[in-house]
Amino acid sequence: MNALIHGVLLGGEYALIACGLSLAFGVMRLVNIAHGDLAVCGAYLVVFLGLPVAYALPLVLPIAFGIGWLLNITLFERALKAGDLAPVLVTFGLSVVIQNLLTEGATANPRTLDGGAISLAEVGGVSVLRIIAFAVAVSVLGGLQLGLSYTGFGRRVRATADDVDTARLVGIRVRPLFAAVAGIAVATAALAGVFLGLLGTVDPYTGGLTLIFAFEAVVIGGLGSLWGTLAGGIVIGLTQQLAGLWSVKFAVLAVHLVFLAVLTFRPRGLFA
Amino acid sequence: MLEIDTVTKRFGQVVVADALSLTVRPGDAVGVVGPNGAGKTSLFGMISGDLSPDAGEIRFAGLTVTRLDAAARCRLGVGRTYQVPRPFADLTVFENVLVAAQQGAGERGRAARATAADALARTGLSDLSDRLAGRLGLLQRKRLELARALATRPSLLLLDEVAGGLTDPEVAELVEIVRAARGDGLAVIWIEHVVRALTATVERLICLAGGRMIGDGPPAEVLASRAVQEVFLGVTP
Ligand SMILES: Nc1ncnc2c1ncn2[C@@H]1O[C@H](COP(=O)(O)OP(=O)(O)OP(=O)(O)O)[C@@H](O)[C@H]1O
Ligand SMILES: [Mg+2]
């Protein structure tokens, strides 16, 4: 029972990391290999600011949004124009750069963010912080999905994701739109990274594994639907926890096996 | 309002515009004919900003727009339909038109909704407002293409084969919609293989072949000229 609850809660965290990846791919066709590292940067930003998490967050989110915006107009935009492989190579390069910068600036030691008194609180054996993380994840994904469905900005994003040439033809300014989407993607990643730091430890190389899980959540959930991404995250969380009951070593492998099975038998995802 | 000034464009060996020049004034209705591959759609691409010419200039509404992207040109008043309709498939019919009214015509709130509703009414799509655009049939897609272009409130409308693939009564319906829209002083450039659909509406016809203009004038004269007859021999009956 406990494993089920933990699995679902963990799934929320994966989904929060994954939603920006899903958004950037769904709208711009950008495969962002550095997404996990950008998430980790969120946690380090809190470390560098030296403020309690609750005070740091209102700064971290806009900074992350700005970083996403800038990365888009300096790097991603150009890479997307240069062919299919270029974005993968460029963001891979960015990933390596981030890992090195973090190691230089903050050493390779694992870090934990201090959540204060609340990090010790529990209800029924479940950490309150985990419940909060899950609630935040569901709110962010739900909010994004509603925003996409019902706002003018969301309509423009959907239209542009559908057909970028036609979007321009009806007057949509694609450049700032993509930059905003990249900003949102990095801001949600940074938020997820802060929770990674609160709930466990991060080091400069945490981003790699984080990316893989996020990527798997997106694929399992099916591209294009953020609810699908949430469901995909939960599938991963549950698989990891349930397999972990049997053997901790087997847990991560089980996730990858489920991912491979989905890719083989339902390549468009379970919930698309 | 539109001046195309010795524009040249090549795709490898294929010349789609060969030092082409064309002037269109407000309210003009210009028909464009020419065999397959003549460069008709490419010309629209260069006017709307999808394609950039290798040489030459394009001026619109008093500005040189050669380097402006399609969004900027749309905001200046260039509206365009695609030969093969490209609706935003995951948006409803109303959303397709609304996004055009908001972005292309720069309208907000209620005004944008009114423009969108008006464009749907003019094209007979009001009943399908809430349908996903991806589910429409060909005639309805063509109408939506037209509605979306009208919703950007263009001063110049580029129509690329509105009639292609439709039956005669369907064509007549669309021709009527375009004629009604022209009442507002809108300039139209209209590519069509079905010459009948054109001659009733336009007062000037140009004929393109191999990226060159081989005819320009009143429709009857252009269609009767030697050069045009030669190009069309065996291409259209
Ligand atoms: N993006 C492109 N890349 C390469 N060649 C192209 C491209 N677009 C058009 N062409 C070629 O340019 C030529 C002119 O194409 P265009 O679409 O302008 O012709 P058209 O007059 O509209 O023909 P149709 O009556 O078949 O619509 C064709 O030979 C086409 O194959
Ligand atoms: Mg064509």
Side-chain angles (χ1 to χ4, degrees):
Chain A
M1 188 60 211
N2 225 330
L4 284 180
I5 294 173
H6 269 113
V8 171
L9 294 180
L10 194 59
E13 173 70 353
Y14 291 145
L16 185 58
I17 300 172
C19 70
L21 198 67
S22 169
L23 202 61
F25 183 78
V27 178
M28 308 190 277
R29 306 287 176 267
L30 175 72
V31 178
N32 186 358
I33 305 288
H35 190 77
D37 306 289
L38 288 163
V40 170
C41 281
Y44 275 93
L45 217 49
V46 174
V47 173
F48 293 146
L49 285 168
L51 294 170
V53 173
Y55 294 105
L57 262 184
L59 292 172
V60 167
L61 295 182
I63 292 173
F65 180 90
I67 290 173
W69 183 291
L70 285 176
L71 282 175
N72 198 67
I73 61 175
T74 53
L75 282 184
F76 301 161
E77 210 171 58
R78 274 168 232 248
L80 283 166
K81 273 188 208 142
D84 289 341
L85 198 55
V88 176
L89 296 177
V90 165
T91 55
F92 179 72
L94 179 64
S95 162
V96 174
V97 169
I98 291 174
Q99 291 174 3
N100 283 313
L101 283 178
L102 288 179
T103 311
E104 284 298 313
T107 75
N109 297 334
R111 308 264 177 165
T112 307
L113 297 180
D114 181 7
I118 203 167
S119 46
L120 300 173
E122 285 190 357
V123 269
V126 183
S127 143
V128 169
L129 207 52
R130 277 206 178 277
I131 296 172
I132 292 176
F134 183 77
V136 167
V138 172
S139 316
V140 168
L141 271 94
L144 282 175
Q145 186 72 62
L146 289 176
L148 283 175
S149 300
Y150 298 111
T151 67
F153 174 75
R155 197 157 41 235
R156 295 203 287 284
V157 170
R158 282 183 291 136
T160 309
D162 195 334
D163 183 341
V164 64
D165 293 327
T166 309
R168 284 201 187 87
L169 196 75
V170 300
I172 295 174
R173 291 191 177 113
V174 171
R175 251 194 122 198
L177 187 87
F178 276 8
V181 169
I184 292 170
V186 174
T188 54
L191 180 61
V194 171
F195 278 111
L196 277 182
L198 283 169
L199 297 169
T201 62
V202 292
D203 65 54
Y205 300 96
T206 308
L209 189 62
T210 308
L211 174 79
I212 291 171
F213 275 28
F215 181 70
E216 292 179 344
V218 172
V219 173
I220 291 174
L223 283 168
S225 157
L226 290 173
W227 292 127
T229 301
L230 180 60
I234 290 173
V235 167
I236 290 182
L238 282 173
T239 308
Q240 196 183 353
Q241 287 294 319
L242 294 178
L245 288 180
W246 181 54
S247 145
V248 178
K249 278 184 195 156
F250 183 65
V252 173
L253 179 61
V255 171
H256 298 330
L257 289 177
V258 167
F259 166 70
L260 271 183
V262 171
L263 208 55
T264 310
F265 298 108
R266 291 285 299 268
R268 309 197 57 187
L270 291 181
F271 309 96
Chain B
M1 67 172 345
L2 173 71
E3 282 169 64
I4 297 171
D5 187 356
T6 48
V7 155
T8 296
K9 175 81 187 172
R10 283 188 199 85
F11 290 114
Q13 296 294 319
V14 186
V15 182
V16 294
D18 189 356
L20 203 64
S21 293
L22 172 69
T23 301
V24 176
R25 287 162 306 157
D28 277 0
V30 182
V32 181
V33 293
N36 292 107
K40 304 181 297 293
T41 298
S42 305
L43 178 66
F44 274 13
M46 289 187 282
I47 302 173
S48 69
D50 269 2
L51 273 183
S52 54
D54 300 332
E57 262 199 6
I58 298 173
R59 290 180 286 277
F60 179 75
L63 295 170
T64 300
V65 297
T66 324
R67 306 259 157 263
L68 294 185
D69 77 344
R73 297 193 207 186
C74 173
R75 286 159 184 251
L76 283 173
V78 179
R80 176 186 179 183
T81 68
Y82 282 118
Q83 185 166 354
V84 179
R86 284 163 73 167
F88 298 121
D90 299 331
L91 272 61
T92 66
V93 166
F94 186 73
E95 285 181 313
N96 264 268
V97 186
L98 180 60
V99 78
Q102 287 172 330
Q103 298 296 300
E107 284 172 346
R108 303 180 155 268
R110 212 168 285 166
R113 288 179 180 274
T115 299
D118 178 55
L120 291 183
R122 289 206 260 170
T123 49
L125 285 172
S126 302
D127 292 343
L128 298 173
S129 286
D130 297 328
R131 177 89 52 100
L132 278 184
R135 306 230 160 140
L136 297 179
L138 179 65
L139 175 61
Q140 290 159 347
R141 280 168 187 253
K142 293 239 167 191
R143 288 184 184 177
L144 178 56
E145 198 70 14
L146 202 53
R148 197 174 55 191
L150 288 173
T152 65
R153 286 181 166 266
S155 51
L156 172 66
L157 181 59
L158 308 173
L159 300 173
D160 198 346
E161 304 222 14
V162 172
L166 300 182
T167 65
D168 279 358
E170 290 170 344
V171 173
E173 226 176 84
L174 291 176
V175 168
E176 215 30 65
I177 295 169
V178 174
R179 283 160 68 121
R182 280 202 58 213
D184 315 336
L186 174 71
V188 177
I189 308 180
W190 189 346
I191 298 173
E192 201 64 75
H193 271 127
V194 188
V195 180
R196 269 172 299 123
L198 276 184
T199 45
T201 313
V202 303
E203 52 264 3
R204 177 179 169 199
L205 190 67
I206 61 178
C207 181
L208 291 182
R212 285 168 177 275
M213 201 167 330
I214 60 163
D216 181 3
E221 274 175 35
V222 169
L223 290 173
S225 77
R226 275 283 303 273
V228 174
Q229 291 267 319
E230 267 169 29
V231 162
F232 273 97
L233 271 184
V235 177
T236 49

